[in-house]
Amino acid sequence: MKKFMEEFKKFISRGNVMDMAVGVIIGGAFTGIVNSLVNDIINPILGVFGGLNFSEYAIKLSGDATLNYGNFITAIINFLIMAFVIFCMVKLMNGMAAKMTKKKEEEEVQAAPTTKICPFCKTEIAIDATRCPHCTSELDEK
């Protein structure tokens, strides 16, 4: 049991778990914002232009039971808006990461090589060597 608890503690203290927990909390708060956007702004605007209020769409089944498909349409709109915002955020993050990677690659390319490969024995030697220290072959000066 002690080993299990140590493994669990190690798992919990990893950065990825904490990042995920923060993401879930932020996602929950963001869901409230998107729901408010759809219910308080988008649906009333659709109601003005087309007389649409999705929350009122329902089918009466029997007695007090109703099938509220308008709420389902609202949930789909919420999902699409949330997916679009997340897509934009991921695209922005990927663009920034690509710029950072490109900058690192450019820095690596700019560094002049200090070694070359001997064409005879294929070992790595100093760039300014005129004779290979391994096979003693004379090298062309290029």
Side-chain angles (χ1 to χ4, degrees):
M1 184 70 172
K2 185 176 181 180
K3 183 178 178 183
F4 177 79
M5 292 304 290
E6 288 175 13
E7 288 180 28
F8 182 70
K9 183 179 176 184
K10 184 178 177 183
F11 171 76
I12 289 296
S13 64
R14 275 196 241 162
N16 295 347
V17 175
M18 294 304 208
D19 292 343
M20 185 178 69
V22 169
V24 168
I25 292 168
I26 297 291
F30 188 69
T31 300
I33 293 169
V34 170
N35 285 336
S36 177
L37 173 70
V38 171
N39 293 330
D40 300 332
I41 296 174
I42 293 177
N43 282 348
I45 291 172
L46 290 176
V48 168
F49 289 112
L52 299 175
N53 186 356
F54 293 123
S55 63
E56 294 177 1
Y57 288 154
I59 297 173
K60 189 166 179 89
L61 296 175
S62 68
D64 291 336
T66 59
L67 183 68
N68 298 322
Y69 67 93
N71 292 337
F72 180 70
I73 293 172
T74 301
I76 290 173
I77 292 171
N78 288 351
F79 170 77
L80 292 174
I81 290 171
M82 184 107 43
F84 178 74
V85 169
I86 291 172
F87 169 76
C88 291
M89 289 173 54
V90 168
K91 188 167 176 65
L92 177 70
M93 298 282 273
N94 287 343
M96 290 174 24
K99 284 182 182 180
M100 295 298 289
T101 303
K102 185 177 179 182
K103 186 180 279 188
K104 286 181 182 178
E105 288 174 356
E106 288 175 357
E107 289 174 359
E108 290 174 3
V109 169
Q110 290 176 356
T114 58
T115 60
K116 63 182 177 183
I117 302 294
C118 173
F120 301 103
C121 68
K122 306 296 184 204
T123 58
E124 191 173 13
I125 58 175
I127 193 92
D128 57 349
T130 57
R131 188 178 285 270
C132 178
H134 302 283
C135 69
T136 67
S137 301
E138 285 192 41
L139 305 171
D140 295 335
E141 297 203 23
K142 291 182 182 179

